[in-house]
Amino acid sequence: MFAVTRTSQMHCHSLLSAQGRRVLALPFPVQARCVLPSLPLVSDRIRLPCRHVFVQAPRGESPSQQSLKHFDHRLAEQHWAEFWEREQVYRFPEESDAESAQQRFVVDTPPPTVSGSLHMGHIFSYTHADVIARYRRQRGARVLLPMGYDDNGLPTERRALDYYHATVDPSLSAFASASASSALSAQAEADRVEHALLSVLSPVPSKDKASPSPPPASSSSSSSSSSSSSSSSSSSSSSSSSFSSSSSSSCSSTCSFSRAELHRVADTASRAPLKKLARTAISRAGLAELCERLAAHDEHAFAQLWSRLGFSADWSRTYRTSDPRCQRIAQASFVHLLQQGDVDHREAPTLWDGDFQTAVAQAELEDRQMPGAYHHLRFELLAEDGVSRAVAHSNDGLDGAALTFTVATTRPELLPACVAVVVAPDDRRFKHLIGRTALTPGFMAPVPIMASDDVDKEKGTGVVMVCTFGDQQDVKWWHSLKLPLRQVLNPFCKFAEQVHFVAAELSASSMLNSQQMDELPVDGGECPMNMNTFHSLNPDRANELYAQLRGKPVSIARQTLVKLLDTMHLAGDVPVLEKVEPIEHAVKCFERGKKPIEFLTTRQWFVKTQQHQEAMKELCEGLDWKPPVMKRVLDAWINGNKMEWCISRQRFYGVPIPVWYRTNKDGNPVYDDPIIASLDCLPVNPHIDCPPGFDPTQRDQPNGFTAEADVFDTWFTSSMTPLVNAQWDGIQSPSLDLFPANVRPQSHEIIRTWAFYTALKSYLHCKQLPWEKIMISGWVLDPQSQKMSKSVGNIITPTPLLEKYSSDAVRYWASSAQLGVDTRFDEGQIKVGKRLVTKLFNAGKLVRSLVKRSAVDISSPGNIRLLPFDQCVRLETDALIREVTTLHEEYAFAHALQRTEKFFWKAFCDTYLEILKPRFGDAFRNRDELASGAVVLDGVFHDLLVLFAPFTPYIAEELHSWSRPGSIHRNSWPVVSDPLEGPVLVTDLLDHVINFKAIMHQLDTKRKQEEFRESLSFAQVQTHPQSEVLLQYSGVVPEVYMTTRAENVMLSSSEDIPFGSFRIVGK
């Protein structure tokens, strides 16, 4: 007996007639191609391999199982989260043999930044990672899905300062002596800050209503930086299965308030009263303590949300990038790279953010469209005799315009920092200017006119002024042309106070005297600092003009200088400012900042990336991208990256750089001879620990030592996550059982940062890729198609949606999106997921009821003979399993969900269940047919639960528990054999659903007609020959029996009846 489609009926009928077999057309929707053999007749015995052992283990029933009226997702989520935690379902099995190593699957989970609450963008990408991990776990792999928290660096520091309304005063020292006393001092300082915050936000403290005074110095329950870091993982693990909003640890008994009360008030109360008060000044150590406390509070809330979402992490492997182990790994990486010559320390032009007052890396920049303008400024040419002939406001009868040229610039405020003018060497318009000297407008500073192939002749006027520094191209020209340094901006990106112009002497050749040129730096070497004395032909006027800029931010200084230039004229009444041309252009900004980035010359630590560019290209060719199109993002970054990776940050909280400097007799650091911590003593805090051969009394003293003030870039630590997961200690090689990881899931905007930096560090340390595959998720967009981001203020928090629709419904929305594609948030899609969960629950109740009503022992399905109709259903389900497995292997989980969902709704619910229900009715009970239907119904439904389990883990576990022991999330993936050999027939049965529905509708109509009110002695159902077997085993005969009340019902076939139709003849 075969399953055929309408297009192949004639061919198959003639073929099978010759074999003496009947032809069966199935009326349920399956689009897969399936190979069906010559199926035996009903009288033959059919054996299928036993898939499961249907023995219910003693286990506490879930709330939904106790009451089958509806699925209470809140109670079920609580119940199953506790079960998974108790049974350690997601714990990574520790194995060491080679065979087990082949079965392991390690996910390099991105550690979220601890800077507030999570939003739907986080839920989106982390669900993708969890789906892949759950699928692999169901396939029997040893899955490590760790969870980490990126809680060091700028985001955590800024959140703590804003949260506690504090500011850091570096002159305050809680690191006075030994580490124990400094930790005690830091804790007491943090206690006082917390108490002050609570006193302002809630004037009557919860536990000490009478005394508003700060608590005394004591050791609070929040430990020092190192101890609190190490304990956070266990606290996250133990609390991950609880959905309650209990707070983190409370203060010690000596504190007059509860830390739980502090966070409750600080998270919910209006912060308006704080705006009227000055921020509380704290030391660097006090800030570290506050960051640790707040991070522990945030991470506790994160763990609760991840657990509720069903994120199947091994919470025992939780790490924090600020904990001692991660600090050791980061510092060990630094020491190794320094020993290899891949890290250096120098003064150089650095990308600088004035808001945060720190250096940043090129990978942390983003382009933002901002309004600007081309300011067309006239520069004067120095006359051949070395005398300026176009002095402002002079009128000697000469044509002033003939002695000038025009520069179009978007940065006119940097005129005092102009060090040269460049033109294209083949530009005929300006070739005669090369080698001459120009005078800057207003400031009258003599600068050389030079040639450069990098000048774009079509941009602006074709003449470019070089300033130190306006952009990356200025830095390049400064290096290649060996230009002097004139820095006019301070670390706040305001015009410096100490800039001063002095008179410049001119030689007869009209070029600057060599003594008047600023000291030239060696190309690629260090920059001279404090170059604040500049030369001018009219220093009094230059100083007067600069005084109008002194202390002003860049944007205000630009407006001020443009107004001043607009009043100036050259000889012949030629205006200095020709015109202002408004434009809209892309401006480089720090991704966390609000203002354009600047270039300042500062002393920094750099990882040398340029020398490894070609090696990185070759290495990353072996990386498998999902989706492949995302590979071009990394390729473009590697090809376009022109700067070394700056890894030092001028902040107070982060992983310390393990370096000290000797001080000279004046107490100044000697940077040429740093003291590097040894590997065996890591981690170290140079602000607390002393270098070998020194004692605490020599700290910050002449002929003593001083600590490196900077901390690592947070990417320097988070780029080590594959080695963190592999238990690398900085000395021994990482565990081969855990490194390299199998997959890195992440979003596309951090390919150039986290993906590149991780690959780079893995290459520098291990000379191999850190993972086999990289899986890229898109962004979640708001209704206006903007990226959902806390900085934009358009985020949607997940908790209300989880409460309203269930975690499975939210996961369904996230899983429906394809990799690499930005997805607009759609609550309607979550409602669709909710309907799916409800349908699964109702279908599970029906399946359970029908199987129970059959009274068939299905514990040994291999001993039950299947009807051809049921066997075809089983084979079609196997075809679905093979297709979904292939899609998961290709990381196309969105398509896997789509195919499974379509089969469940159309084939299983709308067709097979409807066909099967009459077979279990009281009016027509055949033992063999009941057994066949029960075993296939139970097996197919459970296989569908397994296919849904990676996407909807709670409802899948709930329904699985009704008939099977253990968890559905371990070793449960169906193992199906390859398609059986035999004639290949295409089974596209979706169209037959319409025919079958028409049949059922006709039966229902006939039941109500007058002629069927009386009982018949005989009823004959006539149908097409290919439909005869369909009617025999699909429940139509019992329906006719009940409708006609006939004593006998017979089936017959007739070629003149269309396929899918029938007629009933009675007497």
Side-chain angles (χ1 to χ4, degrees):
M1 197 167 293
F2 285 81
V4 299
T5 62
R6 188 170 304 181
T7 57
S8 59
Q9 287 173 13
M10 296 301 296
H11 170 72
C12 293
H13 187 268
S14 60
L15 173 66
L16 300 179
S17 296
Q19 299 177 0
R21 298 187 180 272
R22 295 173 179 176
V23 181
L24 171 66
L26 297 181
F28 61 93
V30 178
Q31 293 181 331
R33 293 179 178 271
C34 180
V35 178
L36 297 180
S38 298
L39 301 180
L41 297 177
V42 180
S43 59
D44 296 337
R45 191 173 183 81
I46 301 174
R47 295 179 179 271
L48 293 181
C50 181
R51 295 170 178 271
H52 309 284
V53 179
F54 303 128
V55 180
Q56 181 64 39
R59 174 172 55 176
E61 291 186 342
S62 69
S64 298
Q65 188 174 354
Q66 295 171 9
S67 174
L68 295 179
K69 293 183 179 180
H70 67 282
F71 179 61
D72 190 329
H73 69 84
R74 298 174 186 85
L75 294 177
E77 289 166 4
Q78 177 76 30
H79 173 83
W80 291 118
E82 292 175 353
F83 169 77
W84 295 332
E85 181 71 20
R86 182 175 63 253
E87 299 297 323
Q88 299 183 358
V89 173
Y90 307 133
R91 182 68 64 91
F92 177 71
E94 295 288 353
E95 301 289 345
S96 58
D97 57 279
E99 183 177 354
S100 298
Q102 294 297 324
Q103 299 298 322
R104 62 90 162 153
F105 189 83
V106 179
V107 182
D108 184 19
T109 319
T113 302
V114 182
S115 58
S117 60
L118 298 173
H119 57 76
M120 292 303 293
H122 296 98
I123 300 300
F124 184 74
S125 57
Y126 280 80
T127 298
H128 295 172
D130 189 58
V131 166
I132 296 300
R134 285 183 176 277
Y135 163 73
R136 292 292 175 177
R137 196 179 288 111
Q138 288 180 258
R139 291 294 305 272
R142 297 165 47 239
V143 174
L144 174 59
L145 181 65
M147 175 50 74
Y149 299 104
D150 194 5
D151 57 0
N152 82 92
L154 181 58
T156 305
E157 176 185 321
R158 289 302 294 257
R159 168 158 165 76
L161 291 175
D162 292 341
Y163 187 90
Y164 292 109
H165 198 63
T167 186
V168 179
D169 184 352
S171 65
L172 299 177
S173 177
F175 296 121
S177 54
S179 60
S181 61
S182 64
L184 183 65
S185 176
Q187 291 167 16
E189 187 178 12
D191 287 344
R192 287 192 290 272
V193 172
E194 287 184 337
H195 188 278
L197 176 67
L198 186 60
S199 299
V200 174
L201 298 181
S202 180
V204 182
S206 61
K207 289 190 176 181
D208 188 0
K209 299 183 180 180
S211 174
S213 60
S218 63
S219 58
S220 69
S221 63
S222 176
S223 58
S224 63
S225 297
S226 59
S227 60
S228 65
S229 300
S230 60
S231 64
S232 65
S233 299
S234 60
S235 65
S236 298
S237 174
S238 62
S239 64
S240 62
S241 64
S242 173
F243 297 154
S244 63
S245 58
S246 60
S247 176
S248 53
S249 60
S250 62
C251 283
S252 65
S253 59
T254 58
C255 288
S256 61
F257 62 95
S258 163
R259 188 155 296 127
E261 174 69 7
L262 166 74
H263 290 306
R264 185 192 67 79
V265 172
D267 291 343
T268 59
S270 171
R271 304 182 73 85
L274 295 176
K275 297 180 180 179
K276 303 177 182 179
L277 303 176
R279 288 177 176 251
T280 304
I282 57 174
S283 68
R284 185 169 186 157
L287 170 66
E289 179 67 19
L290 289 176
C291 288
E292 293 287 343
R293 294 182 182 184
L294 185 57
H297 168 69
D298 288 342
E299 289 158 13
H300 177 81
F302 281 22
Q304 287 184 320
L305 184 58
W306 291 134
S307 181
R308 177 163 191 176
L309 183 67
F311 192 71
S312 58
D314 181 353
W315 294 102
S316 67
R317 298 283 186 137
T318 303
Y319 64 87
R320 302 172 58 200
T321 56
S322 64
D323 68 34
R325 184 169 70 92
C326 289
Q327 287 195 31
R328 173 180 175 81
I329 291 174
Q331 291 181 345
S333 171
F334 171 81
V335 174
H336 280 296
L337 296 181
L338 190 62
Q339 293 172 347
Q340 294 172 193
D342 289 315
V343 167
D344 68 344
H345 187 217
R346 66 178 187 273
E347 294 168 356
T350 309
L351 293 165
W352 189 270
D353 184 81
D355 288 336
F356 294 101
Q357 299 169 45
T358 183
V360 298
Q362 184 179 358
E364 297 174 295
L365 302 185
E366 62 183 18
D367 287 334
R368 297 178 189 170
Q369 290 296 321
M370 292 185 176
Y374 274 123
H375 300 81
H376 292 253
L377 305 178
R378 283 191 177 272
F379 279 61
E380 303 177 51
L381 271 177
L382 198 64
E384 295 294 338
D385 59 359
V387 179
S388 173
R389 303 293 297 174
V391 180
H393 298 293
S394 66
N395 187 3
D396 54 4
L398 295 178
D399 182 6
L403 300 175
T404 65
F405 58 88
T406 303
V407 172
T409 177
T410 60
R411 301 294 306 271
E413 72 278 6
L414 293 182
L415 271 175
C418 181
V419 292
V421 172
V422 291
V423 297
D426 58 347
D427 193 334
R428 295 181 179 179
R429 297 172 298 172
F430 308 111
K431 195 171 184 178
H432 66 284
L433 298 179
I434 299 174
R436 301 284 299 275
T437 300
L439 298 177
T440 59
F443 294 93
M444 303 294 290
V447 294
I449 303 175
M450 311 176 82
S452 173
D453 293 328
D454 292 329
V455 175
D456 183 357
K457 294 183 292 185
E458 305 302 322
K459 186 176 181 180
T461 62
V463 185
V464 184
M465 72 172 188
V466 181
C467 305
T468 53
F469 299 94
D471 55 18
Q472 177 63 32
Q473 184 60 51
D474 280 347
V475 176
K476 181 179 179 181
W477 277 323
W478 174 76
H479 272 299
S480 61
L481 301 177
K482 300 185 182 302
L483 298 172
L485 175 67
R486 295 174 184 170
Q487 186 159 300
V488 296
L489 297 181
N490 63 19
F492 296 92
C493 289
K494 296 181 179 181
F495 277 76
E497 297 285 342
Q498 62 273 28
V499 170
H500 183 67
F501 286 85
V502 296
E505 297 180 3
L506 298 175
S507 65
S509 62
S510 77
M511 293 298 293
L512 288 177
N513 204 329
S514 60
Q515 286 78 15
Q516 300 297 323
M517 292 290 289
D518 298 315
E519 181 183 353
L520 297 178
V522 178
D523 185 20
E526 293 196 359
C527 301
M529 302 294 291
N530 300 320
M531 304 298 294
N532 300 317
T533 301
F534 308 151
H535 301 102
S536 171
L537 296 186
N538 191 343
D540 292 338
R541 183 177 176 198
N543 287 322
E544 180 182 351
L545 189 59
Y546 186 84
Q548 303 297 314
L549 309 180
R550 186 173 286 117
K552 293 182 177 179
V554 169
S555 59
I556 303 299
R558 180 183 304 135
Q559 298 174 12
T560 301
L561 186 57
V562 169
K563 290 180 180 179
L564 293 173
L565 294 174
D566 194 29
T567 64
M568 298 180 185
H569 292 77
L570 303 177
D573 203 28
V574 176
V576 170
L577 180 62
E578 285 187 354
K579 63 179 179 178
V580 177
E581 181 183 352
I583 61 170
E584 189 83 12
H585 61 153
V587 179
K588 298 292 184 183
C589 298
F590 178 40
E591 59 188 1
R592 298 185 182 276
K594 297 180 180 179
K595 298 177 182 178
I597 208 74
E598 299 291 348
F599 281 86
L600 299 187
T601 302
T602 56
R603 180 174 293 278
Q604 305 290 342
W605 291 93
F606 297 90
V607 172
K608 300 177 182 178
T609 59
Q610 298 301 297
Q611 64 188 25
H612 301 295
Q613 193 172 37
E614 293 302 321
M616 286 297 297
K617 289 181 184 178
E618 182 178 354
L619 181 73
C620 292
E621 285 296 321
L623 187 58
D624 186 6
W625 289 79
K626 304 294 181 182
V629 69
M630 286 296 168
K631 179 180 180 295
R632 64 186 183 186
V633 178
L634 183 62
D635 291 341
W637 170 249
I638 294 177
N639 293 328
N641 181 25
K642 303 303 180 183
M643 300 182 67
E644 309 289 23
W645 177 16
C646 177
I647 60 172
S648 49
R649 296 293 180 267
Q650 290 64 56
R651 301 307 305 172
F652 305 105
Y653 180 68
V655 177
I657 299 178
V659 170
W660 300 268
Y661 304 100
R662 294 177 175 84
T663 55
N664 58 21
K665 62 180 181 179
D666 298 322
N668 297 319
V670 180
Y671 293 112
D672 295 337
D673 187 21
I675 305 172
I676 311 299
S678 60
L679 289 172
D680 56 358
C681 67
L682 301 179
V684 299
N685 188 336
H687 297 277
I688 299 176
D689 304 312
C690 296
F694 292 85
D695 61 66
T697 62
Q698 296 176 279
R699 183 181 296 275
D700 299 327
Q701 298 298 317
N703 298 317
F705 73 94
T706 189
E708 169 61 72
D710 296 346
V711 297
F712 283 126
D713 171 19
T714 186
W715 292 113
F716 189 82
T717 305
S718 57
S719 62
M720 301 297 293
T721 52
L723 293 173
V724 170
N725 295 328
Q727 309 295 316
W728 187 52
D729 62 357
I731 299 177
Q732 303 295 329
S733 298
S735 170
L736 296 179
D737 187 36
L738 300 174
F739 185 86
N742 295 83
V743 64
R744 152 68 70 82
Q746 65 168 73
S747 56
H748 57 69
E749 81 273 16
I750 54 175
I751 290 176
R752 62 183 186 178
T753 50
W754 195 36
F756 174 74
Y757 289 152
T758 306
L760 175 66
K761 295 284 283 292
S762 179
Y763 168 75
L764 295 178
H765 289 298
C766 305
K767 295 298 184 287
Q768 67 179 107
L769 283 169
W771 350 267
E772 299 169 359
K773 295 179 174 63
I774 183 167
M775 183 179 76
I776 306 298
S777 299
W779 284 339
V780 176
L781 308 178
D782 66 9
Q784 287 72 42
S785 298
Q786 284 188 314
K787 177 193 174 186
M788 198 171 287
S789 171
K790 285 180 288 187
S791 60
V792 177
N794 60 347
I795 66 171
I796 297 175
T797 55
T799 302
L801 297 170
L802 296 174
E803 285 287 336
K804 183 177 181 180
Y805 297 110
S806 80
S807 297
D808 284 340
V810 173
R811 290 173 61 95
Y812 170 88
W813 159 77
S815 304
S816 300
Q818 298 182 33
L819 288 177
V821 178
D822 294 343
T823 302
R824 185 176 299 178
F825 175 75
D826 182 10
E827 191 170 348
Q829 189 73 1
I830 301 180
K831 294 178 181 179
V832 174
K834 176 66 173 178
R835 289 196 293 269
L836 173 63
V837 172
T838 301
K839 187 66 174 180
L840 280 168
F841 185 75
N842 292 334
K845 290 194 297 181
L846 179 58
V847 170
R848 185 183 189 187
S849 173
L850 295 179
V851 172
K852 184 177 181 180
R853 187 186 307 174
S854 71
V856 175
D857 181 13
I858 59 174
S859 60
S860 299
N863 296 324
I864 296 177
R865 55 186 178 184
L866 303 183
L867 301 182
F869 176 77
D870 296 328
Q871 188 180 13
C872 287
V873 175
R874 178 68 265 173
L875 292 173
E876 292 294 350
T877 306
D878 290 349
L880 172 71
I881 294 171
R882 282 191 292 270
E883 181 183 4
V884 169
T885 301
T886 300
L887 290 172
H888 273 296
E889 292 294 329
E890 293 298 322
Y891 289 69
F893 50 79
H895 293 299
L897 173 59
Q898 182 184 25
R899 285 291 297 116
T900 304
E901 184 183 12
K902 184 175 182 179
F903 185 94
F904 169 72
W905 282 100
K906 300 295 184 182
F908 185 77
C909 294
D910 292 349
T911 304
Y912 187 54
L913 272 179
E914 295 301 323
I915 291 175
L916 214 59
K917 280 192 293 186
R919 193 188 302 182
F920 290 85
D922 295 333
F924 187 81
R925 299 177 64 85
N926 180 287
R927 189 68 180 174
D928 290 338
E929 294 182 18
L930 288 178
S932 175
V935 70
V936 172
L937 181 63
D938 179 84
V940 168
F941 181 69
H942 188 267
D943 285 347
L944 288 174
L945 290 180
V946 173
L947 299 186
F948 276 120
F951 312 104
T952 57
Y954 286 108
I955 187 64
E957 190 76 286
E958 172 73 29
L959 299 178
H960 165 85
S961 70
W962 292 1
S963 61
R964 287 161 175 80
S967 174
I968 196 174
H969 300 297
R970 273 194 177 275
N971 302 308
S972 61
W973 200 261
V975 179
V976 296
S977 58
D978 293 332
L980 301 176
E981 295 182 1
V984 178
L985 301 174
V986 180
T987 59
D988 186 2
L989 305 171
L990 187 58
D991 293 340
H992 299 183
V993 175
I994 301 175
N995 297 325
F996 180 75
K997 290 295 184 182
I999 292 173
M1000 300 304 294
H1001 178 70
Q1002 293 178 30
L1003 278 175
D1004 186 60
T1005 303
K1006 295 292 185 182
R1007 181 182 293 133
K1008 299 175 182 178
Q1009 291 179 353
E1010 294 293 333
E1011 61 265 29
F1012 285 106
R1013 286 189 174 183
E1014 300 295 333
S1015 298
L1016 300 177
S1017 60
F1018 175 78
Q1020 185 181 45
V1021 181
Q1022 298 177 351
T1023 184
H1024 191 276
Q1026 294 182 1
S1027 301
E1028 184 176 351
V1029 179
L1030 166 65
L1031 296 177
Q1032 182 177 357
Y1033 298 111
S1034 64
V1036 172
V1037 172
E1039 289 284 346
V1040 175
Y1041 179 83
M1042 296 176 62
T1043 301
T1044 63
R1045 296 185 177 89
E1047 296 178 4
N1048 296 290
V1049 178
M1050 296 182 59
L1051 289 175
S1052 64
S1053 61
S1054 175
E1055 294 286 351
D1056 63 339
I1057 300 178
F1059 174 77
S1061 300
F1062 68 93
R1063 63 172 173 255
I1064 300 175
V1065 180
K1067 64 179 181 179

